Amino acid sequence: VEVMMGRANALQRLMRYKEAKQQFSTCAKWSHKKGSDGDAIATTTTVAKAVCYSATCSMRLNRLDWAKEELLWYYNVARKDGGTIEDSEAVGMLGAVLWLDFVRSQQQKYDHDDDMHIPPEEALSMLHYASEHSNISLYRWIYHLVVASTLKKNLPLPTAKTHKSTMTNKDEGNRILDLASANRSPFDDFNLIHLDDKVLLHHLVIINTKNGDSEEEMLSTNLYWPKSFVLPQQADSLEKYISSLQEKDNLEKYWILKDRAGYGSYGNRLVTNQEALSYANNNNKNMNNKSDSESVLCQKLVDPPLLINGRKFSLRVYVVCIPVVDDAVTTIGETYNKFYISTDGLVKLALLPYDTSVNNELLDDMHMTNSGRGEMDQCDFRFLREEIRRMRYNYDDLWEEIRQVVTNVMKRYKSLSEASRENTTTAATIDSSRSIFSLPKILGFDFIIDGSCHPMLIEVNRFPGLKPRDDSDAGVKNQVVMDAWYETMKTTSSFCTTIGFKEADMLKVSSLQPIDV
């Protein structure tokens, strides 16, 4: 069971969600079997976890029907012979999925499959149970919003209970971590994979004028996105580009090979011109034996970069998306997103000083600025402002360029998401109905600043690490989490004490600036 779960978790981390879903599902059903002693092979907790992960992968694929099938299997098995389903997360997730299915049926007016239909009143009861028994705030928030919708539709509510939030008994740090955990929920937009996947992000930002971009937008894209090639498919184009560089000068240039689902410094490799060509040519020969999931992004290093105290650095800029439904989610209507950028973020400095004469063994510590690389220094944007001023650049100009890059990328994402929604018409999918939960989504945009103080986008993270590593990033991460939830409550006009907020919290100054997408 541990091996199967480990394999499934690895596939999920690689964004191979269909394979991961199948592996989790197999693990759950196999774990539930009886051993020779008559007992189940694994604990009910393990089975519930595997089922929830399988359903989560289904949601990442925009397959509501698959998620519903997995969760109902567990629900029916757990209740067999008079038993009960006690895992509050599984109950809450099933309730949320069934509610989405109900909303979807109202939107598209399709008939339910009688074998899989559970009335909305029971879905609401499940959410109520999860809200009473779960240690996390996710299902308390969802229940809070769904109740408003229920009252609008005159559906019966579960037996009322006095709900005392366990969140109020948690210290501030744990309360914020609990809210941050909702960022990894199954209920975000499946189209976010186009930002998270390095190759798909590349395709997104280089959309040409045939898809509606102006020449000005095309020019701006070339200014903020480093030269990149998808390998092995663009091996010939890479070879031509490197040949043109070598005709101009004989300086060695470096590239970074990025796995589609690389994170931290994992899946990233620094290579020279020749090494990049060798990789491209070797893999080009075997292209027929490779799947698209094995493609990598070969991205030119920003050279020269701006330095702080002689070291290369990157910026983590937080962007918040808040799904909104007309009339504060009390009707089934049009959905849209509000977008914000946090004025505070993180400056991540490389471990070693930037020195082009060092040997290859030290290149990673000189170039890589990922948080997972050990005892590296992190600072906030107040530090960045002072350093930019000290270097006699204008911080406000830099920030405005960053805002424009974020706006440009999110416009492209919005257009793609809307097109996907228009092409999604089946009851099996989720598309915009999950927006009724109005869960704030925090993204991490990573930039390198070039030697002329212009931002270059290098990647976007769908699930940025929001758990502080130490005091150097705690203030920034905690602030963006709380601000995201403050804005969500203001946007939905839905103040929720059951997830630990006080009215005084709503009066705090937010670090979020709206961006026009």
Side-chain angles (χ1 to χ4, degrees), residues 141-171:
W141 170 256
I142 290 177
Y143 176 70
H144 171 80
L145 290 188
V146 167
V147 164
S149 181
T150 302
L151 293 172
K152 179 73 175 180
K153 298 176 184 65
N154 296 315
L155 294 173
L157 288 170
T159 303
K161 294 182 181 179
T162 302
H163 179 68
K164 295 182 179 179
S165 171
T166 57
M167 290 302 300
T168 57
N169 298 322
K170 293 187 177 183
D171 61 43

Side-chain angles (χ1 to χ4, degrees), residues 265-445:
S265 56
Y266 302 102
N268 293 343
R269 290 151 287 171
L270 284 171
V271 294
T272 63
N273 284 344
Q274 191 55 50
E275 289 168 337
L277 285 174
S278 296
Y279 176 90
N281 291 328
N282 290 338
N283 284 274
N284 196 25
K285 294 175 183 177
N286 302 315
M287 190 162 60
N288 292 334
N289 299 322
K290 286 185 172 292
S291 65
D292 285 344
S293 64
E294 296 177 276
S295 299
V296 301
L297 185 68
C298 183
Q299 192 172 74
K300 195 169 181 290
L301 283 185
V302 177
D303 182 34
L306 197 66
L307 305 178
I308 291 180
N309 298 327
R311 288 191 287 172
K312 186 176 178 179
F313 65 94
S314 65
L315 303 182
R316 165 61 56 83
V317 176
Y318 294 102
V319 175
V320 178
C321 311
I322 301 177
V324 182
V325 182
D326 284 349
D327 199 19
V329 304
T330 59
T331 61
I332 301 172
E334 291 299 317
T335 61
Y336 60 95
N337 284 304
K338 286 190 173 182
F339 298 93
Y340 300 85
I341 186 170
S342 175
T343 56
D344 204 1
L346 293 172
V347 183
K348 304 181 180 186
L349 287 91
L351 288 171
L352 295 181
Y354 189 81
D355 183 356
T356 55
S357 66
V358 300
N359 61 51
N360 288 347
E361 294 179 359
L362 301 177
L363 282 175
D364 280 0
D365 288 339
M366 186 181 79
H367 282 287
M368 299 291 194
T369 60
N370 311 85
S371 300
R373 296 193 61 79
E375 300 298 321
M376 59 177 294
D377 293 330
Q378 297 185 102
C379 306
D380 61 23
F381 281 3
R382 287 172 294 182
F383 167 82
L384 177 65
R385 180 183 286 273
E386 288 302 312
E387 288 298 314
I388 294 298
R389 183 189 61 80
R390 185 182 60 80
M391 289 184 270
R392 300 187 181 282
Y393 289 111
N394 188 306
Y395 180 83
D396 292 336
D397 290 345
L398 171 62
W399 182 248
E400 183 55 31
E401 286 190 50
I402 289 173
R403 278 178 57 91
Q404 289 301 318
V405 172
V406 169
T407 300
N408 192 319
V409 173
M410 296 312 292
K411 280 183 176 179
R412 293 163 187 262
Y413 156 73
K414 179 184 176 184
S415 295
L416 181 146
S417 186
E418 289 175 348
S420 171
R421 187 179 305 171
E422 290 173 0
N423 294 328
T424 303
T425 58
T426 67
T429 57
I430 313 159
D431 63 54
S432 63
S433 61
R434 67 177 89 196
S435 298
I436 64 171
F437 296 151
S438 292
L439 289 166
K441 183 64 186 177
I442 302 172
L443 305 171
F445 278 62

Side-chain angles (χ1 to χ4, degrees), residues 163-325:
H163 179 68
K164 295 182 179 179
S165 171
T166 57
M167 290 302 300
T168 57
N169 298 322
K170 293 187 177 183
D171 61 43
E172 183 73 2
N174 286 330
R175 176 171 75 114
I176 296 173
L177 285 178
D178 177 75
L179 293 171
S181 68
N183 205 52
R184 302 189 70 87
S185 87
F187 307 112
D188 64 358
D189 180 12
F190 77 100
N191 285 301
L192 287 168
I193 194 170
H194 289 272
L195 299 178
D196 201 26
D197 182 307
K198 309 298 184 293
V199 171
L200 292 181
L201 175 63
H202 172 69
H203 291 318
L204 185 70
V205 300
I206 62 167
I207 295 172
N208 58 33
T209 52
K210 293 180 181 179
N211 290 339
D213 284 356
S214 67
E215 294 293 344
E216 182 180 356
E217 287 173 318
M218 279 296 294
L219 178 60
S220 68
T221 299
N222 294 332
L223 293 176
Y224 71 73
W225 184 246
K227 192 69 177 179
S228 303
F229 299 89
V230 178
L231 300 179
Q233 291 86 340
Q234 295 181 313
D236 292 343
S237 298
L238 174 66
E239 184 172 6
K240 290 178 182 177
Y241 180 76
I242 289 180
S243 296
S244 69
L245 287 180
Q246 292 173 339
E247 289 175 4
K248 296 175 183 177
D249 58 64
N250 294 318
L251 294 176
E252 186 66 273
K253 303 295 181 183
Y254 285 97
W255 300 76
I256 184 166
L257 296 178
K258 297 182 175 183
D259 290 345
R260 302 183 72 132
Y263 65 99
S265 56
Y266 302 102
N268 293 343
R269 290 151 287 171
L270 284 171
V271 294
T272 63
N273 284 344
Q274 191 55 50
E275 289 168 337
L277 285 174
S278 296
Y279 176 90
N281 291 328
N282 290 338
N283 284 274
N284 196 25
K285 294 175 183 177
N286 302 315
M287 190 162 60
N288 292 334
N289 299 322
K290 286 185 172 292
S291 65
D292 285 344
S293 64
E294 296 177 276
S295 299
V296 301
L297 185 68
C298 183
Q299 192 172 74
K300 195 169 181 290
L301 283 185
V302 177
D303 182 34
L306 197 66
L307 305 178
I308 291 180
N309 298 327
R311 288 191 287 172
K312 186 176 178 179
F313 65 94
S314 65
L315 303 182
R316 165 61 56 83
V317 176
Y318 294 102
V319 175
V320 178
C321 311
I322 301 177
V324 182
V325 182

Side-chain angles (χ1 to χ4, degrees), residues 102-116:
F102 167 66
V103 171
R104 191 81 172 98
S105 70
Q106 299 297 298
Q107 289 175 327
Q108 295 194 351
K109 295 180 173 54
Y110 68 83
D111 293 327
H112 287 277
D113 180 344
D114 289 339
D115 293 334
M116 297 192 54

Side-chain angles (χ1 to χ4, degrees), residues 447-464:
F447 291 87
I448 294 289
I449 309 303
D450 71 15
S452 300
C453 202
H454 295 296
M456 301 293 290
L457 178 67
I458 53 174
E459 64 185 51
V460 179
N461 295 272
R462 181 180 185 176
F463 307 110

